[in-house]
Amino acid sequence: MTTSRRNFLRLTGGAAIAAGLAACGTSGPQSSGGSTGGTNGGGGGGGATYWFLTGQPQQAIREAQVKRFNDANSGSQLKTTEFQNDAFKQKIKTAIGAGQAPTLIWGWGGGGLKSYVDANQVEDLTSWFGENAELKNGIFPSAFGAASVGGKIYAMPVETTTPIVLYWNKKVFEKVGAEPPKSWGDIMDLVPKFNEQNIAPFSLGGQSRWTNMMWLEFLYDRIGGPEVFQAIYDGQPDAWNDPSSIKALTEVQNLVKANGFIKGFSSITADSNADQALLYTGKAAMMLHGAWTYGGMKADGGDFVTGGHLGYMNFPPVDGGKGDPSNTVGNPGQYLSISSKASDAEKETAKKFLANNTLDEASVEEWVKSGNIPVVKSAKDKLSSVSDANDKAWLEFVYDTSANAKTFSQSWDQALSPAAAETLLDNIAKLFQLSVTPQQFASNMNAVIGK
Amino acid sequence: MTAVVPPGARAVVRSPATGAGRSGPVAWMVLPALVMFVVFGVVPLVGVLVLSFTQWDGLGAITPAGVSNWRVALQDPGLYHALWVTFEIMILSWLVQTPMSLLLGVFLAGRQRYRAFLAVLFFIPLLLSSAAIAITYKALLDPNFGLGPGLHLSLLTQDWLGKSNLAIAVIIFIVSWQFIPFHSLIYQGGVRQIPVSMYEAAAIDGAGRVRQFFSITVPQLKYTIITSSTLMVVGSLTFFDLIFVLTAGGPGDSTRVLALLMYQQGFQANQMGLASVIAVVIVVLGLLLALLLRRLGGSTTASQMEGM
């Protein structure tokens, strides 16, 4: 046997690469639509390119939008490429960095958008929105915050608004004889009540880290108001050391210490929807999560949603806190930007698509039908057509929460720069592990403020 | 087992120095391999080294940054923590894997038919992708919906991936489960190369099975052990997919190995320069460890078997 170490290394190396590829997911990007040729980036004539995410029901709605556009504009076609979530995040960044961006850049706004703006990669849409005032006025004003950098608008808010919501399981509350919490004090009082019955007070998919972050977003808002995070976002030195900030961090650790979260929460991921399962199976009584989980619980939870056992509310106030209880946090919308590297004809096509097909009546209707609230005021009119009573009540709740929020703060990890967001998520995981104190957390975060 | 470095590799090194003319056809026959090595090995390596002295968020322009990335990285306790975790997993998984693969390899080296069948069975874990293994184990170990709660076994119902020490232990268990078959196979091959006459002579001298194992099998497998250990040690520097899917470095940062830190700095925090520093550290570490293990084995080019 004459086998060399080199060959073995190559062998194992190959296996590792294969495993890595396998980890990249099942389906690669799928191209479709459009007229002729045209590469990813350039594209000729009046055609434009648009990359977006797979996953239902969003995917079908996006495909229908493009089809309507292409049917109506035979001269300027839109060519789409679809990606899975994580693949998209990588690909779009690489493509923009290489000057091969699609004409329409789909994204989450905030810090990611700011990095595109800083690199001069996206069009300033401020004057275009000035010319299309009607379009602009129809969209929730709260959705524009994450689309703006330095007072200028660089993206159009599209698709849906998804605030973070406090869910609860009505069956479990009945069993224990408890009332839904009206304040932070109530929450802390409910914790031992549920623990005595061997029911976890809160479900949490802590391994995903951003799930823990939702707690801090609300506690910061309810205790100190949106100004506390605004100061952090604006890069004011030492902003994490604000007394409200320290109080919020302390409160969340108190909840961890009181066993407020399900045992083993730091090994549960949100991607697998195990946290939702804990709520609808009654292993946990409550869950703080995005509005996007409603559909999942309806699909997987048996009669949990359809039988009316799901309760939900906005996060309750904290006694003595400064924040307006109508405020909410989460994703005010999704965003479409136009690549500054695209040709004039491509930009024209993209703008036509933005104006006519992203938030048109057909789209609004489809979003509502799929159980979502699109980021336009006209969504309200469509709610009456929803036949299912549970869905209708839910959609009205989401609409009111989004439309009535004094402030709709964008999720922190989207609002901050990628570098600061990574440090934040890292420290939040440690905060929930009780391996850093609130003071250490604040000083770790102050070190990356404004970066 | 004879030479560890194949003749081809030798020619690659020698021919450019001695002149292509004299080496004749051999020199240009290795040319394709050499080109591949330069394009896919040397160029990216130099690229990473250059990147480590620049500031780049993956989007905008690449700007020179001097040694600032190196200063930031070397002052970051996170790097030393990741280094520590990497070594911890490397050493512990070596300690678990080596004796077990050695024993299994010796056992499988027997000639009975059922052993060949067993060898195939043992080999199955290696055929699965690390990502698939991680997802499966994650589901089995889930403290609420996993194997433990499903079978009402309180011993199995632990917060396996939520406690630092348990999470490391789980990773070592899974890595061993995945790679012991591979190393057993190497040992099985090694054992079969040992001349039967040595065992016959030992048996005549009255040596029992245990004595034969320690006096003949283990010494004869010296180079096999070094080969297998090099693969384990250098390979453990690149553990990424399994840990990424299983714990994502958590809980907190207790299973964050160097490769994971590199990924997070580069592709999540958009700090390519910093990530390149970590990549260079991994490469240097891998080279040093491989060289060290080679030293331990003495001159690996010498034949292990007398008269062959």
Side-chain angles (χ1 to χ4, degrees):
Chain A
M1 189 170 128
T2 55
T3 318
S4 73
R5 189 182 66 191
R6 194 175 288 249
N7 276 339
F8 270 134
L9 286 174
R10 206 174 293 143
L11 203 86
T12 46
I17 291 167
L21 286 176
C24 286
T26 45
S27 66
Q30 305 150 356
S31 280
S32 71
S35 49
T36 49
T39 53
N40 282 341
T49 48
Y50 174 25
W51 296 359
F52 57 77
L53 300 188
T54 56
Q56 300 298 359
Q58 293 87 347
Q59 185 182 353
I61 297 176
R62 290 171 192 139
E63 283 166 357
Q65 288 173 342
V66 172
K67 187 175 183 309
R68 281 200 302 277
F69 179 82
N70 283 341
D71 288 348
N73 301 278
S74 50
S76 47
Q77 297 280 292
L78 202 56
K79 189 172 150 55
T80 63
T81 309
E82 302 177 357
F83 296 91
Q84 285 193 319
N85 186 49
D86 287 350
F88 175 80
K89 284 184 186 169
Q90 289 307 317
K91 178 81 182 169
I92 191 82
K93 211 160 62 186
T94 318
I96 293 174
Q100 294 284 316
T103 320
L104 280 162
I105 301 170
W106 192 98
W108 293 268
L113 180 64
K114 186 174 181 295
S115 66
Y116 300 161
V117 174
D118 290 344
N120 283 324
Q121 295 285 352
V122 286
E123 282 277 284
D124 179 358
L125 298 176
T126 318
S127 61
W128 181 74
F129 271 115
E131 293 157 23
N132 294 277
E134 203 183 325
L135 179 72
K136 184 174 184 237
N137 292 335
I139 299 171
F140 290 143
S142 60
F144 277 97
S148 309
V149 178
K152 289 179 180 166
I153 305 170
Y154 288 93
M156 173 164 160
V158 290
E159 307 193 351
T160 59
T161 169
T162 39
I164 309 295
V165 173
L166 182 61
Y167 296 98
W168 84 89
N169 184 327
K170 288 183 184 169
K171 277 196 263 187
V172 174
F173 269 74
E174 252 166 56
K175 193 169 130 195
V176 178
E179 288 293 314
K182 293 193 175 61
S183 68
W184 179 252
D186 284 357
I187 288 182
M188 294 303 286
D189 291 343
L190 281 173
V191 167
K193 255 188 195 170
F194 285 116
N195 276 332
E196 274 164 29
Q197 304 282 326
N198 274 328
I199 296 167
F202 283 100
S203 170
L204 180 66
Q207 196 188 93
S208 304
R209 306 188 297 179
W210 56 264
T211 40
N212 306 359
M213 182 182 66
M214 299 188 288
W215 281 90
L216 287 181
E217 288 169 359
F218 266 125
L219 281 169
Y220 271 64
D221 180 273
R222 295 296 187 260
I223 291 172
E227 298 80 15
V228 185
F229 183 70
Q230 191 60 41
I232 292 161
Y233 180 75
D234 294 340
Q236 286 176 24
D238 217 29
W240 287 97
N241 246 338
D242 189 283
S244 306
S245 156
I246 301 294
K247 175 145 198 288
L249 295 165
T250 312
E251 286 296 345
V252 88
Q253 286 204 326
N254 287 343
L255 187 58
V256 175
K257 285 176 195 158
N259 294 320
F261 298 107
I262 180 112
K263 210 177 133 204
F265 69 84
S266 49
S267 62
I268 299 171
T269 50
D271 312 349
S272 61
N273 295 344
D275 46 359
Q276 300 173 29
L278 287 168
L279 182 72
Y280 62 66
T281 54
K283 289 189 201 306
M286 295 174 273
M287 176 176 76
L288 189 65
H289 217 308
W292 58 83
T293 55
Y294 179 86
M297 288 192 282
K298 191 178 168 188
D300 303 332
D303 74 334
F304 182 60
V305 173
T306 48
H309 303 299
L310 172 70
Y312 40 82
M313 62 164 122
N314 199 349
F315 197 81
V318 176
D319 310 311
K322 287 181 222 158
D324 189 307
S326 79
N327 288 348
T328 191
V329 304
N331 299 341
Q334 288 78 46
Y335 298 90
L336 277 178
S337 305
I338 297 177
S339 166
S340 58
K341 300 285 183 282
S343 72
D344 286 344
E346 287 164 353
K347 285 178 189 171
E348 228 19 76
T349 306
K351 281 177 182 168
K352 216 190 279 177
F353 175 71
L354 283 184
N356 298 334
N357 295 88
T358 52
L359 289 171
D360 57 335
E361 203 166 323
S363 299
V364 172
E365 210 166 288
E366 281 175 58
W367 282 120
V368 170
K369 211 184 283 171
S370 72
N372 289 287
I373 293 292
V375 292
V376 280
K377 295 167 186 165
S378 64
K380 182 93 180 164
D381 314 330
K382 301 281 177 223
L383 296 186
S384 54
S385 66
V386 179
S387 52
D388 184 291
N390 289 314
D391 286 357
K392 194 172 174 181
W394 162 254
L395 285 171
E396 275 168 358
F397 166 76
V398 175
Y399 184 90
D400 290 341
T401 307
S402 305
N404 299 340
K406 285 234 164 56
T407 313
F408 194 144
S409 306
Q410 192 189 18
S411 292
W412 290 354
D413 57 345
Q414 304 293 345
L416 295 174
S417 75
E422 185 54 34
T423 314
L424 174 72
L425 292 171
D426 190 21
N427 277 284
I428 285 178
K430 289 179 185 162
L431 185 82
F432 273 69
Q433 284 281 301
L434 305 178
S435 60
V436 290
T437 64
Q439 270 75 23
Q440 283 167 336
F441 178 94
S443 49
N444 290 350
M445 289 314 300
N446 278 330
V448 296
I449 217 157
K451 279 188 182 161
Chain B
M1 182 163 255
T2 54
V4 171
V5 176
R10 197 165 273 265
V12 173
V13 181
R14 195 187 289 157
S15 51
T18 51
R22 247 180 302 163
S23 320
V26 179
W28 60 261
M29 278 169 78
V30 300
L31 205 67
L34 195 67
V35 168
M36 292 288 270
F37 179 64
V38 168
V39 171
F40 295 106
V42 176
V43 170
L45 211 60
V46 173
V48 164
L49 194 62
V50 171
L51 266 187
S52 75
F53 293 101
T54 63
Q55 205 75 45
W56 187 37
D57 64 359
L59 273 182
I62 304 176
T63 52
V67 293
S68 71
N69 285 324
W70 284 88
R71 202 182 302 130
V72 169
L74 295 178
Q75 283 172 354
D76 176 19
L79 179 73
Y80 298 102
H81 177 76
L83 209 60
W84 164 247
V85 175
T86 308
F87 275 117
E88 200 180 355
I89 291 178
M90 180 190 294
I91 291 166
L92 288 175
S93 63
W94 184 84
L95 282 176
V96 173
Q97 284 184 73
T98 303
M100 290 193 67
S101 332
L102 185 58
L103 287 174
L104 258 178
V106 170
F107 170 73
L108 290 173
R111 301 283 170 182
Q112 294 90 334
R113 187 176 288 171
Y114 75 92
R115 290 191 186 178
F117 177 69
L118 278 181
V120 172
L121 271 189
F122 285 149
F123 206 66
I124 287 177
L126 197 82
L127 302 177
L128 305 171
S129 97
S130 295
I133 290 174
I135 291 170
T136 311
Y137 269 99
K138 203 168 156 51
L140 289 175
L141 296 173
D142 188 295
N144 300 297
F145 301 106
L147 203 59
L151 300 173
H152 302 289
L153 292 170
S154 54
L155 188 72
L156 273 176
T157 313
Q158 306 282 339
D159 187 8
W160 291 109
L161 302 171
K163 293 210 172 79
S164 307
N165 289 337
L166 275 183
I168 296 249
V170 166
I171 288 172
I172 288 164
F173 173 82
I174 299 178
V175 164
S176 307
W177 178 84
Q178 189 182 3
F179 288 109
I180 282 178
F182 174 68
H183 294 283
S184 306
L185 200 74
I186 301 181
Y187 284 118
Q188 182 196 22
V191 170
R192 285 192 176 160
Q193 297 295 312
I194 303 172
V196 184
S197 56
M198 293 177 93
Y199 290 102
E200 287 167 353
I204 291 167
D205 288 346
R209 285 195 147 207
V210 177
R211 183 65 197 265
Q212 286 181 11
F213 176 76
F214 284 108
S215 300
I216 301 172
T217 313
V218 175
Q220 286 293 313
L221 286 176
K222 184 182 169 194
Y223 296 115
T224 316
I225 294 173
I226 287 165
T227 304
S228 153
S229 300
T230 308
L231 287 171
M232 280 184 204
V233 166
V234 178
S236 69
L237 280 178
T238 58
F239 282 155
F240 170 77
D241 37 9
L242 179 81
I243 299 176
F244 183 61
V245 178
L246 201 64
T247 66
D253 55 5
S254 43
T255 56
R256 186 183 297 155
V257 290
L258 278 176
L260 198 60
L261 182 71
M262 175 183 76
Y263 173 81
Q264 287 176 331
Q265 293 293 353
F267 295 103
Q268 287 181 334
N270 277 7
Q271 293 179 309
M272 293 296 170
L274 218 50
S276 301
V277 172
I278 302 166
V280 173
V281 169
I282 295 176
V283 170
V284 170
L285 214 60
L287 281 174
L288 285 179
L289 284 167
L291 282 175
L292 188 78
L293 282 163
R294 249 181 94 106
R295 276 284 152 77
L296 281 179
S299 172
T300 43
T301 48
S303 173
Q304 195 176 349
M305 268 180 279
E306 279 176 73
M308 295 189 94

